[in-house]
Amino acid sequence: MHAITIPEPGGPEALVWAPVPDPVPGEGEVLVEVVAGAVNRADLLQRQGFYDPPPGASPYPGLECSGRIAAIGPGVSGWSVGDEVCALLSGGGYAEKVAVPAGQLLPVPAGVDLKTAAALPEVVCTVWSNIFMVSQLRPGETLLVHGGASGIGTMAIQLAKAVGARVAVTAGSPEKLRYCGELGADFLINYREQDFVEEIREVTAGAGADVILDIMGAKYLDRNVKALATNGRLAIIGMQGGTKAELDIAALLRKRGAVTATSLRGRPASEKAAIVAAVREHVWPLIDAGRVRPIVDREVPMRDAAAGHRVLEESSHIGKVLLVTGE
């Protein structure tokens, strides 16, 4: 088979489409013949040499894919060769085939084509685990999503609205904010022109956001705490704004606030399986019913994954960028 390899860390040009050995499914795994993968920020970090795969994972980038089951490993039940699936991965999605633990498989939802399903696993598992399983967003509460037009952001808007929450988003252009509004976001904040702390206080009558989903990390830490409501929960899932910052513990104590930081890739397979099971139970019916949908900005051939990485680095996209095999 072929896969995107990274002979040396660097820019997008470091991604090389090359022949590699076929993976073999082990105990509890299936082999998926990949139809499409998707580009995530973690892939950019891996390409640059800053985010190695977990021990035992595929060395190739790619944290989600869609395709058809080509082989079943020992100890797997409930799946058959030929099933159309999408999968949460620890790596290896930028390839023509990938071995996946059966607990990280999901059926392709009704009304979603096989290629587009590649846009679902990573974002849905990230959003559901952080906003609902950890931060316990409830109906009537206010969620603030940074990067509302991203793959994570567009999914967070839809899921939060589906459970009856109010949603505020930040984005850097009128076009992106308009799209967030079309998805259901109630409050639109242009972070280039507005102070999100002041804006969130104004739209919540001074209360603040009950839950904040943050991709920026250090750069936004102090302001996120200021934007939290009493008993608010800040979920940090990215570090685009750096990794080190001072935290005003007194301010957090006054608000009885909580700060959590999670990553999905390095979790044990059992934890990933639990998240995938929760997603299948709670989110897949919403997608089947057409209340939630994947947002895809564009498709590029997988062999030209560099083009997909450039799109993310330019932040010109809305939703997900797919890498498609066989084109």
Side-chain angles (χ1 to χ4, degrees):
M1 73 168 189
H2 282 73
I4 289 291
T5 63
I6 310 172
E8 295 290 339
E13 68 283 353
L15 301 173
V16 178
W17 185 242
V20 299
D22 283 17
V24 177
E27 180 74 26
E29 294 183 334
V30 305
L31 183 68
V32 174
E33 188 173 286
V34 175
V35 169
V39 183
N40 289 282
R41 291 280 173 185
D43 304 334
L44 277 61
L45 292 174
Q46 181 174 342
R47 187 202 76 217
Q48 295 163 349
F50 299 136
Y51 194 11
D52 292 335
S58 169
Y60 317 124
L63 301 182
E64 57 193 337
C65 75
S66 62
R68 298 177 182 88
I69 295 178
I72 303 287
V76 174
S77 61
W79 299 99
S80 302
V81 171
D83 285 350
E84 294 189 342
V85 297
C86 53
L88 179 68
L89 309 173
S90 298
Y94 289 23
E96 292 176 321
K97 298 177 183 177
V98 63
V100 187
Q104 292 166 217
L105 292 176
L106 288 157
V108 174
V112 178
D113 67 79
L114 184 55
K115 281 194 297 187
T116 302
L120 287 169
E122 175 73 12
V123 294
V124 176
C125 288
T126 297
V127 169
W128 188 261
S129 62
N130 281 279
I131 294 180
F132 299 97
M133 297 175 73
V134 175
S135 299
Q136 297 287 307
L137 181 70
R138 295 181 286 271
E141 290 191 322
T142 298
L143 168 69
L144 170 60
V145 180
H146 291 301
S150 66
I152 293 288
T154 53
M155 182 56 63
I157 293 168
Q158 295 179 82
L159 288 178
K161 295 301 296 183
V163 302
R166 299 186 302 169
V167 181
V169 299
T170 64
S173 73
E175 177 191 12
K176 289 184 176 182
L177 289 171
R178 183 166 54 252
Y179 195 90
C180 292
E182 292 172 357
L183 286 177
D186 302 282
F187 311 117
L188 311 175
I189 303 168
N190 188 324
Y191 68 80
R192 300 184 191 277
E193 301 174 357
Q194 298 168 290
D195 181 343
F196 71 80
V197 178
E198 294 180 0
E199 295 297 322
I200 201 68
R201 285 175 175 168
E202 180 175 344
V203 299
T204 60
D210 299 289
V211 176
I212 300 176
L213 186 66
D214 177 57
I215 58 173
M216 295 303 293
K219 183 178 180 180
Y220 277 11
L221 180 60
D222 178 66
R223 294 164 68 199
N224 277 332
V225 171
K226 291 178 180 176
L228 277 180
T230 300
N231 296 314
R233 292 85 75 195
L234 167 60
I236 300 173
I237 60 169
M239 46 190 179
Q240 293 180 38
T243 60
K244 295 182 179 180
E246 289 190 1
L247 174 62
D248 186 342
I249 301 297
L252 196 63
L253 285 170
R254 286 194 296 270
K255 294 189 173 185
R256 301 188 295 280
V259 178
T260 59
T262 72
S263 65
L264 192 55
R265 186 182 198 182
R267 290 182 184 230
S270 59
E271 292 186 16
K272 291 180 183 177
I275 293 170
V276 167
V279 161
R280 186 169 182 175
E281 178 184 356
H282 297 287
V283 181
W284 250 228
L286 297 173
I287 300 175
D288 288 340
R291 297 179 61 193
V292 173
R293 60 189 174 92
I295 307 298
V296 175
D297 185 279
R298 70 192 75 183
E299 302 173 4
V300 300
M302 187 173 288
R303 63 178 178 271
D304 191 21
H309 278 222
R310 291 188 183 101
V311 172
L312 255 68
E313 290 181 334
E314 294 165 358
S315 291
S316 59
H317 61 296
I318 293 176
K320 300 284 287 189
V321 175
L322 298 186
L323 304 178
V324 181
T325 62
E327 294 192 2

